[in-house]
Amino acid sequence: MISRKQFYTLAEPLKLWRGGSLYPVTIAYETWGELSPERDNVILVLHALTGDSHAAGKYSEDEDKCGWWDPLIGPGRAFDTNRYFVICSNVIGGCQGSTGPSSINPETGYPYAMDFPVITIQDMVAAQVELLKALGINKLLAVTGGSIGGMQAIEWVIRYPDWVENALIFGALPKTSPQSIGFNAVGRQAIMIDPEWKGGKYYPSPGPVAGLSVARMVGMITYQSYEGMWIRFGRKLATRPTTYSPLGEKFDVEGYLEYQGYKLTQRFDANSYLYLTRAMDLYDASEGFDSELEAYDRIRANILLVGISTDWLYPPHEVKAFANQLRDLGKNAVYEELDSIHGHDAFLKEWEQMTRIITLYMENLGDEAHYVTSPLGDGELIK
Amino acid sequence: MISRKQFYTLAEPLKLWRGGSLYPVTIAYETWGELSPERDNVILVLHALTGDSHAAGKYSEDEDKCGWWDPLIGPGRAFDTNRYFVICSNVIGGCQGSTGPSSINPETGYPYAMDFPVITIQDMVAAQVELLKALGINKLLAVTGGSIGGMQAIEWVIRYPDWVENALIFGALPKTSPQSIGFNAVGRQAIMIDPEWKGGKYYPSPGPVAGLSVARMVGMITYQSYEGMWIRFGRKLATRPTTYSPLGEKFDVEGYLEYQGYKLTQRFDANSYLYLTRAMDLYDASEGFDSELEAYDRIRANILLVGISTDWLYPPHEVKAFANQLRDLGKNAVYEELDSIHGHDAFLKEWEQMTRIITLYMENLGDEAHYVTSPLGDGELIK
């Protein structure tokens, strides 16, 4: 499946959740499948922290790698592009085609760097609303995503209840925990202590690659599990070439983390990392409402919440508790659990389970019976 | 209780586990209570990563702060100094009086920095053996410690079975997990990317304080729990003054972590942080034996293993599994669990539970009946 990155520039300035506005705003996006004449078959896919609009397919036949959710999106796949029109856009604040801190500030002619405004999950979703309107869409059959993508899905169902009919949310919660904020703070500090960061004004040089690499290393640990890392790395020594070590031979897990850190620096802007982790920290779905109850009670979509058995960043019992909270409010919420050793990252790895869960849910859209009869957390949707 | 830091310099070079030797080796230590004429009342206390010999008491009356295990060590306390002679020494490789990378290399007249040899848990314990011999001691009523201190206790009971009668081990395992190695690697990278690190040759300047601070930040998150951080910090905004933030108001948890990071830099040497985390990574109690079984089967001490309910760095089920493994080998091993929201750090915070567990264990030393009748992990020792 060949995919093509497209761009849309908003006609008006985007008003920002924390005040001020951003202009111009360009959004990079990709689509798969065909929009139905009734425009009622749209699935909006929302990417995670360092993801992009390239959720499926390849940009050219000779590419090795497909998009990050490719096994789930395509003809005959869980999000079946023979039936659905699937859209994925890059978040604003990012660096994969949408406007972010590395974009040119029209007031200065130079990249924004830290003059870029603080961006929130609310703003990311507001930009998506504008993109969809421009595409002639005002209804989403489903929104879906994991991690910070799942947070955007939560924002969608609360802030735009008239838009969304169904939401499939993986490894996400309506507010970021202080532990996550702490890990994000570590990553940001690592970037900002790198002398190449230069207060953010490092463009066009690659900037704080060492700092961003450390930020990615800590992130990668939090996306995995204690058990999974034992199985994958154990206490094996590194075999791949590693950076300078004054402390003797390195462990395989160190070499892996350093390599992952390096890899991110080849495709990601450090300032975007600062802004996007901050957006994550700031997210509390009930912000602007009198209470969580008032916020959650706005939801009209059917919601599938999927926890991951070994996710300690978004613990499954918390995801389940959120599902229960929604059910207590009379909402149509189902909890499912991915049984995985992969930790938080499981929604990007457990293709069989993901396919089973999504397919079953998508096949039964509109058939409400199976939602209410599905026991919470038994790992099986009952039709 | 007034405590006094003392120093002992080994007469001979210390042969090192990974080859080579170190000379001279000075060990800082403190003692409380009186050595019995039979020299049979010695308790060796082993400190955690950034700890020191100052486990109890104050250096002077007008000090506010006591040693790090003060509530557990003293007249009438769990480790009752009216009965026991308690010793705590600073590990080699450290920076609180014992020889480490900030010590003068006699070959150059300058601090060792990264010319300091790689130090292991085995070497720390070997140095302690020499200290004890010099004090005329060749028998330990008990060894005790948490975290990397607990790992030293494990090393003691395996490598020196004739020395140790009892071991009380908190939040520790016989080998370091790849997840822990990963977090340690993050901390080390943060230190080494700080331009003030200068390949380790920063003395006498304070060196990579920004990098060490980031290392401490990530450490401090791992010592706490998801739940505990929600209770302690929630999503409150920072009230204490924080460092520069280009991303708006900070969260309380960020301010706390930055403050903890800063505090460590005021008392700890960055190169020691590199060497001591490396010693932790390298530890596998079965190294040098044909198998775990051969290693563990050497143990003759009675062992109390204490897990912490919310410790995800040394998960309680793993500590319990280690206790079971020892019992399967016919060893006298008991598992207890601290019920705490404080995560790994609970052995430095849950004074009431710690006092109860230690007191009961110490009161019944030699009375073997209660060990074998204690069910595993029910949180109660049965006499």
Side-chain angles (χ1 to χ4, degrees), chain A residues 265-291:
Chain A
T265 67
Q266 301 303 299
R267 68 175 178 87
F268 211 80
D269 174 53
N271 285 340
S272 274
Y273 200 89
L274 300 179
Y275 277 90
L276 297 187
T277 56
R278 197 50 170 180
M280 187 179 154
D281 293 354
L282 291 170
Y283 193 58
D284 179 344
S286 64
E287 196 184 325
F289 297 104
D290 285 342
S291 65

Tab-separated table of all heavy atoms in Angstrom, chain A residues 265-291:
chain	number	residue	atom	x	y	z
A	265	THR	N	17.537	10.594	17.342
A	265	THR	CA	18.140	11.890	16.974
A	265	THR	C	18.239	12.060	15.471
A	265	THR	O	18.391	13.181	14.985
A	265	THR	CB	19.553	12.058	17.589
A	265	THR	OG1	20.445	11.114	16.984
A	265	THR	CG2	19.532	11.850	19.094
A	266	GLN	N	18.165	10.957	14.721
A	266	GLN	CA	18.234	11.030	13.262
A	266	GLN	C	16.901	11.412	12.628
A	266	GLN	O	16.840	11.687	11.434
A	266	GLN	CB	18.695	9.679	12.678
A	266	GLN	CG	20.052	9.233	13.178
A	266	GLN	CD	21.136	10.260	12.899
A	266	GLN	OE1	21.409	10.586	11.761
A	266	GLN	NE2	21.731	10.805	13.967
A	267	ARG	N	15.829	11.383	13.427
A	267	ARG	CA	14.524	11.645	12.834
A	267	ARG	C	13.670	12.619	13.640
A	267	ARG	O	12.539	12.906	13.251
A	267	ARG	CB	13.749	10.336	12.632
A	267	ARG	CG	13.311	9.647	13.921
A	267	ARG	CD	12.443	8.424	13.624
A	267	ARG	NE	12.055	7.710	14.818
A	267	ARG	CZ	10.989	7.986	15.568
A	267	ARG	NH1	10.189	8.963	15.240
A	267	ARG	NH2	10.736	7.279	16.646
A	268	PHE	N	14.197	13.115	14.749
A	268	PHE	CA	13.324	13.898	15.619
A	268	PHE	C	14.023	15.150	16.127
A	268	PHE	O	15.208	15.130	16.442
A	268	PHE	CB	12.859	13.047	16.806
A	268	PHE	CG	11.497	13.425	17.295
A	268	PHE	CD1	10.358	12.968	16.635
A	268	PHE	CD2	11.339	14.265	18.391
A	268	PHE	CE1	9.098	13.327	17.062
A	268	PHE	CE2	10.071	14.634	18.818
A	268	PHE	CZ	8.959	14.157	18.160
A	269	ASP	N	13.247	16.205	16.237
A	269	ASP	CA	13.757	17.487	16.697
A	269	ASP	C	13.675	17.583	18.222
A	269	ASP	O	12.619	17.316	18.821
A	269	ASP	CB	12.930	18.604	16.052
A	269	ASP	CG	13.309	19.974	16.590
A	269	ASP	OD1	14.511	20.295	16.563
A	269	ASP	OD2	12.403	20.706	17.049
A	270	ALA	N	14.773	17.977	18.845
A	270	ALA	CA	14.833	18.020	20.312
A	270	ALA	C	13.815	18.996	20.904
A	270	ALA	O	13.190	18.717	21.929
A	270	ALA	CB	16.247	18.383	20.771
A	271	ASN	N	13.649	20.149	20.271
A	271	ASN	CA	12.667	21.099	20.806
A	271	ASN	C	11.247	20.529	20.736
A	271	ASN	O	10.436	20.755	21.637
A	271	ASN	CB	12.738	22.435	20.062
A	271	ASN	CG	13.961	23.252	20.469
A	271	ASN	OD1	14.552	23.020	21.535
A	271	ASN	ND2	14.348	24.209	19.634
A	272	SER	N	10.939	19.796	19.667
A	272	SER	CA	9.631	19.135	19.611
A	272	SER	C	9.472	18.169	20.774
A	272	SER	O	8.391	18.045	21.356
A	272	SER	CB	9.446	18.377	18.287
A	272	SER	OG	8.947	19.234	17.283
A	273	TYR	N	10.565	17.482	21.124
A	273	TYR	CA	10.513	16.555	22.259
A	273	TYR	C	10.135	17.309	23.537
A	273	TYR	O	9.334	16.838	24.344
A	273	TYR	CB	11.843	15.829	22.418
A	273	TYR	CG	11.740	14.553	23.211
A	273	TYR	CD1	11.457	13.348	22.586
A	273	TYR	CD2	11.891	14.554	24.596
A	273	TYR	CE1	11.335	12.180	23.312
A	273	TYR	CE2	11.770	13.392	25.331
A	273	TYR	CZ	11.498	12.206	24.680
A	273	TYR	OH	11.376	11.043	25.421
A	274	LEU	N	10.718	18.489	23.710
A	274	LEU	CA	10.380	19.309	24.881
A	274	LEU	C	8.893	19.666	24.877
A	274	LEU	O	8.190	19.505	25.876
A	274	LEU	CB	11.202	20.597	24.888
A	274	LEU	CG	12.727	20.491	24.944
A	274	LEU	CD1	13.359	21.889	24.926
A	274	LEU	CD2	13.172	19.737	26.196
A	275	TYR	N	8.420	20.163	23.744
A	275	TYR	CA	7.033	20.646	23.682
A	275	TYR	C	6.009	19.510	23.783
A	275	TYR	O	4.972	19.669	24.426
A	275	TYR	CB	6.805	21.450	22.392
A	275	TYR	CG	7.253	22.880	22.520
A	275	TYR	CD1	8.558	23.252	22.202
A	275	TYR	CD2	6.404	23.868	23.002
A	275	TYR	CE1	8.995	24.560	22.336
A	275	TYR	CE2	6.825	25.181	23.142
A	275	TYR	CZ	8.122	25.519	22.816
A	275	TYR	OH	8.540	26.815	22.969
A	276	LEU	N	6.307	18.393	23.141
A	276	LEU	CA	5.312	17.313	23.138
A	276	LEU	C	5.236	16.612	24.494
A	276	LEU	O	4.152	16.234	24.949
A	276	LEU	CB	5.592	16.313	22.013
A	276	LEU	CG	5.501	16.894	20.597
A	276	LEU	CD1	5.633	15.782	19.555
A	276	LEU	CD2	4.194	17.667	20.388
A	277	THR	N	6.404	16.434	25.155
A	277	THR	CA	6.335	15.846	26.497
A	277	THR	C	5.609	16.803	27.438
A	277	THR	O	4.874	16.380	28.326
A	277	THR	CB	7.725	15.513	27.067
A	277	THR	OG1	8.542	16.692	27.061
A	277	THR	CG2	8.403	14.419	26.256
A	278	ARG	N	5.805	18.108	27.223
A	278	ARG	CA	5.106	19.070	28.055
A	278	ARG	C	3.593	19.007	27.842
A	278	ARG	O	2.813	19.087	28.799
A	278	ARG	CB	5.601	20.492	27.747
A	278	ARG	CG	5.247	21.479	28.824
A	278	ARG	CD	5.647	20.921	30.141
A	278	ARG	NE	5.579	21.844	31.243
A	278	ARG	CZ	5.897	21.497	32.473
A	278	ARG	NH1	6.279	20.263	32.743
A	278	ARG	NH2	5.839	22.369	33.450
A	279	ALA	N	3.190	18.860	26.580
A	279	ALA	CA	1.762	18.723	26.282
A	279	ALA	C	1.185	17.522	27.032
A	279	ALA	O	0.089	17.577	27.591
A	279	ALA	CB	1.552	18.565	24.783
A	280	MET	N	1.959	16.455	27.057
A	280	MET	CA	1.536	15.242	27.761
A	280	MET	C	1.384	15.523	29.259
A	280	MET	O	0.357	15.217	29.867
A	280	MET	CB	2.596	14.181	27.502
A	280	MET	CG	2.287	12.811	28.000
A	280	MET	SD	3.693	11.726	27.527
A	280	MET	CE	3.523	10.505	28.826
A	281	ASP	N	2.420	16.142	29.852
A	281	ASP	CA	2.372	16.488	31.279
A	281	ASP	C	1.119	17.286	31.611
A	281	ASP	O	0.469	17.071	32.632
A	281	ASP	CB	3.549	17.402	31.672
A	281	ASP	CG	4.889	16.724	31.580
A	281	ASP	OD1	4.944	15.514	31.322
A	281	ASP	OD2	5.902	17.436	31.749
A	282	LEU	N	0.840	18.269	30.762
A	282	LEU	CA	-0.223	19.238	31.065
A	282	LEU	C	-1.610	18.619	30.952
A	282	LEU	O	-2.583	19.213	31.417
A	282	LEU	CB	-0.125	20.445	30.117
A	282	LEU	CG	1.072	21.368	30.307
A	282	LEU	CD1	1.170	22.376	29.159
A	282	LEU	CD2	0.988	22.108	31.656
A	283	TYR	N	-1.715	17.449	30.345
A	283	TYR	CA	-3.047	16.961	30.040
A	283	TYR	C	-3.816	16.459	31.252
A	283	TYR	O	-3.384	15.558	31.970
A	283	TYR	CB	-3.025	15.851	28.977
A	283	TYR	CG	-4.423	15.603	28.463
A	283	TYR	CD1	-5.149	16.643	27.895
A	283	TYR	CD2	-5.037	14.366	28.581
A	283	TYR	CE1	-6.449	16.454	27.449
A	283	TYR	CE2	-6.328	14.164	28.127
A	283	TYR	CZ	-7.031	15.213	27.567
A	283	TYR	OH	-8.317	15.033	27.141
A	284	ASP	N	-4.955	17.058	31.437
A	284	ASP	CA	-5.980	16.581	32.364
A	284	ASP	C	-7.292	16.833	31.648
A	284	ASP	O	-7.680	17.986	31.431
A	284	ASP	CB	-5.906	17.341	33.686
A	284	ASP	CG	-6.983	16.887	34.663
A	284	ASP	OD1	-7.951	16.233	34.234
A	284	ASP	OD2	-6.856	17.202	35.859
A	285	ALA	N	-7.949	15.742	31.273
A	285	ALA	CA	-9.146	15.849	30.421
A	285	ALA	C	-10.231	16.702	31.058
A	285	ALA	O	-11.101	17.227	30.360
A	285	ALA	CB	-9.684	14.462	30.103
A	286	SER	N	-10.189	16.858	32.373
A	286	SER	CA	-11.261	17.606	33.044
A	286	SER	C	-10.939	19.094	33.146
A	286	SER	O	-11.743	19.865	33.681
A	286	SER	CB	-11.524	17.026	34.430
A	286	SER	OG	-10.389	17.187	35.259
A	287	GLU	N	-9.777	19.503	32.629
A	287	GLU	CA	-9.417	20.929	32.699
A	287	GLU	C	-10.453	21.769	31.966
A	287	GLU	O	-10.855	21.451	30.850
A	287	GLU	CB	-8.034	21.132	32.059
A	287	GLU	CG	-7.418	22.477	32.425
A	287	GLU	CD	-6.080	22.730	31.724
A	287	GLU	OE1	-5.319	21.775	31.519
A	287	GLU	OE2	-5.832	23.895	31.365
A	288	GLY	N	-10.894	22.825	32.616
A	288	GLY	CA	-11.891	23.700	32.012
A	288	GLY	C	-13.316	23.307	32.382
A	288	GLY	O	-14.262	24.040	32.085
A	289	PHE	N	-13.461	22.147	33.007
A	289	PHE	CA	-14.789	21.734	33.500
A	289	PHE	C	-14.799	21.851	35.018
A	289	PHE	O	-13.744	21.951	35.648
A	289	PHE	CB	-15.094	20.288	33.083
A	289	PHE	CG	-15.157	20.106	31.591
A	289	PHE	CD1	-14.100	19.508	30.916
A	289	PHE	CD2	-16.263	20.547	30.864
A	289	PHE	CE1	-14.145	19.354	29.538
A	289	PHE	CE2	-16.306	20.392	29.487
A	289	PHE	CZ	-15.250	19.797	28.818
A	290	ASP	N	-15.987	21.857	35.592
A	290	ASP	CA	-16.074	21.985	37.041
A	290	ASP	C	-15.582	20.739	37.762
A	290	ASP	O	-15.142	20.802	38.909
A	290	ASP	CB	-17.519	22.274	37.463
A	290	ASP	CG	-17.911	23.717	37.153
A	290	ASP	OD1	-16.994	24.535	36.950
A	290	ASP	OD2	-19.113	24.003	37.106
A	291	SER	N	-15.686	19.611	37.080
A	291	SER	CA	-15.306	18.355	37.729
A	291	SER	C	-15.007	17.309	36.664
A	291	SER	O	-15.353	17.472	35.497
A	291	SER	CB	-16.455	17.852	38.611
A	291	SER	OG	-17.562	17.517	37.784
